[in-house]
């Protein structure tokens, strides 16, 4: 299920109203600020721009490892939440001399990026941070840019000094990807995608993903129109397959733009190719992030449980064969719409350079 269909419970903006564990005393706000520079135990969950404050959630290392999404779904009745105004946060960042030191995983959605993030996070030199809500705010809300540097410094904290924080963004945060990879810290990024045909079959293979695609279509069309510089299409005139074509073009053109901005610091990963050669592709990803990317290191990670379970809900079994079965069934049932989507994409690429660049990046 997508996070976009969940009800978000508003966080407390009052330190005294947060939930307390049994026997726990309310922590003074100065203590929280002092601890920000020590480790990621206080995770910057929600950026409140009008109030100029951030809500932090207390997370242990295991909480990060289990979380598929660092959004409203990590909040439980036992969550410890503390809100701090930005000047206090800024002072703590400065006092601790925090710096931007992170890598990124960008993707087009439903292409195995959560699995890749879990595999990278299994490396002792990496600390995976999956879909932080603050990055969505920074990508979507006008006027958020002044808080970007501080938020990235907070997201760069790790539990071990040798670790690199590898941030897996939500798909539409790719609108911000070109700016993120262009920063002075020169972060490296991995761009995860699949071919248009594989993407269409993936989305058409499940009712939730089809509904999500319909829900996101207006915003994706707006983003794509902005990228090509003109309003070229009307949603009402497009079939389901054609809507998937514009969805792929929207997300993939954002990755193409970011890849160009990264100037050699971006590595493209085709998820289908990864499934065909997981050891070599994972090793390449690890090396890209300046981690031990030997075949032995990659094979040891792949021998763990992640390749045999659904990465967004690890309690469910899932593997490459089941994925192939789902995609082949979708191809058999929805072949006409897949064809319409591919034809739409061919026409759009012939007309607009940004979409041609996206198709070229996909190979």
């Amino acid at each position: 299920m997508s996070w976009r269909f969940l009800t978000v419970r508003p966080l407390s903006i009052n330190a005294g109203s947060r939930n307390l564990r049994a026997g726990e005393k309310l922590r003074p706000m100065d203590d929280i600020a002092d601890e920000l520079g020590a480790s990621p135990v206080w995770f910057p969950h929600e950026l409140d721009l009008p109030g100029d404050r951030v809500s932090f959630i207390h997370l242990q290392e295991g909480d990060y490892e289990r979380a598929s999404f660092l959004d409203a779904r990590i909040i439980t009745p036992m969550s410890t939440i503390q809100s701090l105004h930005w000047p206090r946060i800024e002072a703590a960042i400065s006092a601790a001399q925090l710096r931007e030191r992170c890598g990124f995983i960008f993707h087009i959605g439903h292409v195995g990026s959560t699995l890749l993030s879990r595999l990278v996070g299994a490396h002792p030199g990496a600390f995976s941070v999956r879909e932080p809500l603050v990055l969505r705010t920074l990508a979507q809300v006008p006027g958020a840019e002044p808080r970007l540097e501080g938020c990235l410094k907070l997201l760069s904290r790790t539990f071990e000094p040798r670790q690199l924080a590898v941030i897996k963004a939500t798909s539409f945060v790719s609108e911000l990807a070109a700016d993120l990879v262009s920063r002075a810290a020169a972060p490296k990024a991995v761009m995860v995608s699949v071919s248009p045909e594989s993407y269409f079959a993936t989305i058409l293979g499940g009712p939730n993903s089809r509904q999500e695609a319909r829900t996101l279509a207006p915003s994706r069309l707006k983003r794509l129109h902005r990228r090509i510089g003109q309003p070229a299409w009307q949603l009402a005139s497009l079939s389901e397959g054609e809507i998937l074509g514009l969805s792929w073009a929207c997300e993939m053109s954002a990755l193409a733009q970011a890849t160009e901005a990264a100037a050699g610091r971006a590595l493209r990963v085709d998820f289908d190719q990864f499934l065909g050669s997981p050891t070599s592709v994972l090793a390449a990803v690890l090396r890209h992030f300046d981690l031990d990317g030997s075949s032995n290191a990659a094979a040891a990670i792949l021998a763990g449980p992640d390749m045999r379970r659904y990465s967004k809900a690890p309690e469910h079994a899932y593997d490459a064969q089941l994925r192939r079965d789902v995609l082949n069934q979708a191809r058999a049932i929805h072949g006409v719409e897949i064809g319409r989507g591919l034809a739409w994409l061919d026409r759009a690429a012939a007309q607009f350079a940004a979409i041609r660049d996206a198709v070229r990046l996909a190979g």
Side-chain angles (χ1 to χ4, degrees):
M1 179 179 292
S2 167
W3 68 269
R4 298 169 185 89
F5 304 117
L6 298 178
T7 300
V8 178
R9 178 171 64 86
L11 299 182
S12 168
I13 61 173
N14 196 322
S17 64
R18 68 180 178 85
N19 295 321
L20 297 178
R21 294 183 174 90
E24 181 187 17
K25 295 183 179 179
L26 189 65
R27 300 283 298 280
M29 293 178 71
D30 285 342
D31 287 354
I32 305 302
D34 290 342
E35 293 176 5
L36 288 183
S39 79
V41 293
W42 288 105
F43 171 70
H45 179 258
E46 186 173 37
L47 175 61
D48 174 10
L49 288 170
D52 200 24
R53 69 178 78 213
V54 174
S55 294
F56 291 85
I57 298 180
H58 195 272
L59 298 177
Q60 299 295 339
E61 191 169 6
D63 298 322
Y64 282 96
E65 292 173 357
R66 288 186 292 272
S68 297
F69 308 93
L70 290 166
D71 57 15
R73 283 169 285 190
I74 64 170
I75 300 174
T76 73
M78 296 298 291
S79 292
T80 303
I81 302 171
Q82 180 76 55
S83 185
L84 294 177
H85 282 95
W86 189 260
R88 280 193 141 156
I89 298 168
E90 197 167 41
I93 291 171
S94 177
Q97 298 183 338
L98 296 182
R99 59 194 181 101
E100 292 180 40
R101 184 180 174 273
C102 59
F104 292 99
I105 295 176
F106 298 112
H107 59 98
I108 64 173
H110 299 282
V111 290
S113 59
T114 304
L115 172 59
L116 185 61
S117 172
R118 289 192 179 278
L119 295 171
V120 171
H123 192 287
F127 173 56
S128 284
V129 180
R130 282 179 282 276
E131 304 209 15
L133 183 60
V134 292
L135 272 190
R136 299 178 193 164
T137 302
L138 290 163
Q140 288 187 301
V141 179
E145 197 279 333
R147 298 292 175 253
L148 177 59
E149 179 180 353
C151 287
L152 289 176
K153 289 179 177 179
L154 291 171
L155 293 173
S156 294
R157 297 168 302 162
T158 61
F159 283 96
E160 299 292 338
R162 64 174 177 164
Q163 289 179 321
L164 174 73
V166 179
I167 303 168
K168 181 223 164 188
T170 307
S171 59
F172 62 77
V173 173
S174 295
E175 288 297 303
L176 194 62
D179 291 335
L180 291 172
V181 299
S182 299
R183 295 185 63 78
K188 293 185 176 182
V190 168
M191 312 295 189
V192 190
S193 64
V194 293
S195 70
E197 191 276 342
S198 182
Y199 178 80
F200 300 164
T202 299
I203 302 304
L204 291 168
N208 290 341
S209 54
R210 293 176 73 183
Q211 177 59 45
E212 179 188 74
R214 288 189 288 269
T215 301
L216 293 178
S219 63
R220 282 173 165 164
L221 182 60
K222 183 177 180 179
R223 290 165 56 202
L224 187 58
H225 280 163
R226 185 167 59 244
R227 193 134 40 240
I228 66 176
Q230 66 180 84
W233 303 283
Q234 296 288 332
L235 279 180
S237 66
L238 300 178
S239 73
E240 183 176 18
E242 291 170 330
I243 288 173
L244 295 183
L246 80 84
S247 299
W248 185 94
C250 169
E251 302 297 351
M252 198 68 190
S253 59
L255 295 194
Q257 188 178 60
T259 299
E260 182 178 2
R265 287 177 285 103
L267 175 68
R268 180 181 170 260
V269 170
D270 182 296
F271 185 60
D272 289 315
Q273 292 177 6
F274 164 77
L275 291 176
S277 303
T279 301
S280 61
V281 174
L282 178 59
V285 170
L286 295 175
R287 289 194 299 271
H288 182 68
F289 286 129
D290 299 315
L291 303 171
D292 173 13
S294 67
S295 295
N296 287 341
I301 292 171
L302 291 165
D306 290 316
M307 294 292 286
R308 300 184 298 276
R309 59 190 187 185
Y310 185 47
S311 57
K312 294 179 181 178
E315 65 273 17
H316 298 295
Y318 195 83
D319 59 15
Q321 182 58 54
L322 179 55
R323 179 179 181 273
R324 283 193 293 271
D325 292 344
V326 171
L327 266 61
N328 286 335
Q329 183 180 44
R331 290 174 176 123
I333 296 173
H334 302 288
V336 171
E337 283 303 322
I338 291 174
R340 287 172 179 163
L342 293 172
W344 180 94
L345 191 59
D346 285 342
R347 294 192 301 271
Q351 190 174 1
F352 298 104
I355 301 177
R356 281 197 301 274
D357 290 344
V359 172
R360 190 178 302 115
L361 179 63

